[in-house]
Amino acid sequence: MPDAAVDLTVVIPIFDEEEVLPLLVERLRPVADAWGVTYEVLCVDDGSRDATPVVLQRVRRTWPQVRVVRLRTNAGHQAAISAGLARARGRWVVTIDADLQDPPEVIGEMLAVARGQGVDVVYGVREDRSTDTAFKRMTARAFYRSIRRLSDVDAHVDAGDFRLMSRATVEAVNALPEHNRVLRLVVPALGFPSASVGYRREHRAAGDSKYPLGKMLRLSVDGVTGFSTAPLRFATWLGLLGGVAALLVLVYAVVAMLLGNTLPGWTSTVVIVAAVGAVQLLALGILGEYVGRTYTALQGRPSYFVAHDSADVEADDRPGSQTLT
């Protein structure tokens, strides 16, 4: 594939997906060939520990539009997408997971909407999430609604990381210096003209989910602390309420002493001390999250390290690409 930009890049973050990759290729390739545009499928191997790298190399032998970027270590889902965006060559770039819960057949419709309406971003919106558990649907909606109330980000409630972006949008995202970025909030925060395409979310085609509860909670914390200062204000209000409560207790104690109604009370002392300590620890924890993000940003460490890009290898193998010394 030439070094010049292609019309469309499909970025797919992949981590331990040896079971689902053949199914993904079977679904995606006929759809991609029918788009009628030049394209590349950029598979970002996020430090997989199974046979995923082997399967990807086999796919490349029979599908020349496939490009493999392998990260040295498991950097995480959002970092893998960021690595793909940084190396994508398409005039349009779409991000989609490998598990086939988001149907690749919708990509063509996204491209048509983007061109027809002249927008920079087209979000894939999950209109039917009946395949997800009730807990996941409830927590997802609660998270996005909380973000919309706590910050100025107009994030789609049922939109994940399945989206189409223009080259201008991708370059804007790549120019951002922040670490631990949550792209499903970063992209809406840019405020570029957007549209949406609805679809039905399917069951995972094969394998196990790579996004357990712990990673979902970490993503939620990164999203809240990265786009809102409301938790800091919450900590301030907790401190003020704690001060008012302490003042009321002090007044009560003085009045009780003057009236001669004081009794040695162990329970009340323990309860008050525990309550004040809990408020202080919570406030310190919130402050610590923001201080930690600032510290990470000041360190300036990359979110990922690229070990291999098949496009670079192809460029080195071309005649005349090597110089003699």
Side-chain angles (χ1 to χ4, degrees):
M1 184 176 295
D3 293 333
V6 296
D7 290 321
L8 178 64
T9 296
V10 182
V11 175
I12 309 176
I14 300 172
F15 177 64
D16 288 351
E17 296 286 9
E18 61 176 337
E19 297 181 32
V20 80
L21 278 177
L23 303 176
L24 173 66
V25 173
E26 183 180 346
R27 284 270 300 274
L28 180 58
R29 186 168 187 177
V31 172
D33 291 338
W35 290 331
V37 299
T38 57
Y39 69 90
E40 65 174 350
V41 179
L42 203 167
C43 300
V44 183
D45 181 5
D46 189 18
S48 297
R49 302 161 297 183
D50 59 1
T52 294
V54 177
V55 176
L56 288 174
Q57 293 306 318
R58 290 175 182 169
V59 171
R60 282 192 64 242
R61 295 192 188 103
T62 59
W63 193 1
Q65 285 84 2
V66 170
R67 176 182 170 195
V68 178
V69 172
R70 179 167 172 80
L71 305 186
R72 292 192 179 276
T73 59
N74 177 238
H77 182 260
Q78 298 297 299
I81 296 179
S82 295
L85 296 181
R87 290 181 170 251
R89 299 177 294 193
R91 297 181 181 89
W92 297 92
V93 179
V94 62
T95 57
I96 184 172
D97 290 339
D99 54 18
L100 291 176
Q101 288 189 282
D102 303 326
E105 292 81 4
V106 179
I107 297 176
E109 184 179 354
M110 287 178 160
L111 186 59
V113 169
R115 288 174 166 175
Q117 299 186 18
V119 296
D120 286 294
V121 184
V122 179
Y123 298 98
V125 177
R126 304 158 182 170
E127 293 181 342
D128 184 352
R129 300 193 62 170
S130 57
T131 57
D132 289 334
T133 63
F135 174 77
K136 190 169 185 178
R137 293 195 300 268
M138 179 186 66
T139 53
R141 290 193 174 95
F143 169 72
Y144 287 112
R145 290 194 175 106
S146 298
I147 284 292
R148 297 180 70 168
R149 289 189 177 95
L150 295 176
S151 67
D152 296 328
V153 179
D154 187 18
H156 289 261
V157 174
D158 289 310
D161 287 308
F162 185 28
R163 73 183 72 85
L164 177 79
M165 294 173 284
S166 66
R167 170 50 52 182
T169 307
V170 173
E171 290 178 353
V173 172
N174 291 336
L176 297 175
E178 64 183 285
H179 294 262
N180 299 324
R181 62 178 62 164
V182 181
L183 290 167
R184 61 188 64 181
L185 300 179
V186 167
V187 176
L190 295 175
F192 288 7
S194 64
S196 62
V197 171
Y199 67 93
R200 181 179 186 273
R201 186 165 171 83
E202 303 292 342
H203 289 286
R204 167 175 263 275
D208 299 323
S209 173
K210 305 306 184 296
Y211 238 94
L213 181 60
K215 288 187 177 181
M216 291 176 61
L217 291 175
R218 181 69 257 177
L219 183 70
S220 300
V221 172
D222 287 339
V224 172
T225 56
F227 288 88
S228 175
T229 57
L232 289 175
R233 298 192 187 99
F234 177 67
T236 301
W237 282 108
L238 278 180
L240 290 175
L241 290 175
V244 171
L247 181 61
L248 293 176
V249 171
L250 176 62
V251 171
Y252 171 78
V254 171
V255 171
M257 181 186 67
L258 294 177
L259 295 177
N261 295 330
T262 55
L263 293 173
W266 177 85
T267 303
S268 59
T269 302
V270 170
V271 170
I272 293 172
V273 171
V276 173
V279 170
Q280 290 177 334
L281 289 175
L282 178 60
L284 285 174
I286 294 173
L287 292 173
E289 287 292 332
Y290 283 90
V291 171
R293 291 183 65 89
T294 304
Y295 177 66
T296 301
L298 289 175
Q299 285 179 315
R301 296 175 181 173
S303 300
Y304 58 87
F305 295 93
V306 175
H308 167 86
D309 187 340
S310 60
D312 296 338
V313 175
E314 290 174 356
D316 292 339
D317 292 340
R318 290 175 193 155
S321 62
Q322 298 179 0
T323 58
L324 298 177
T325 57

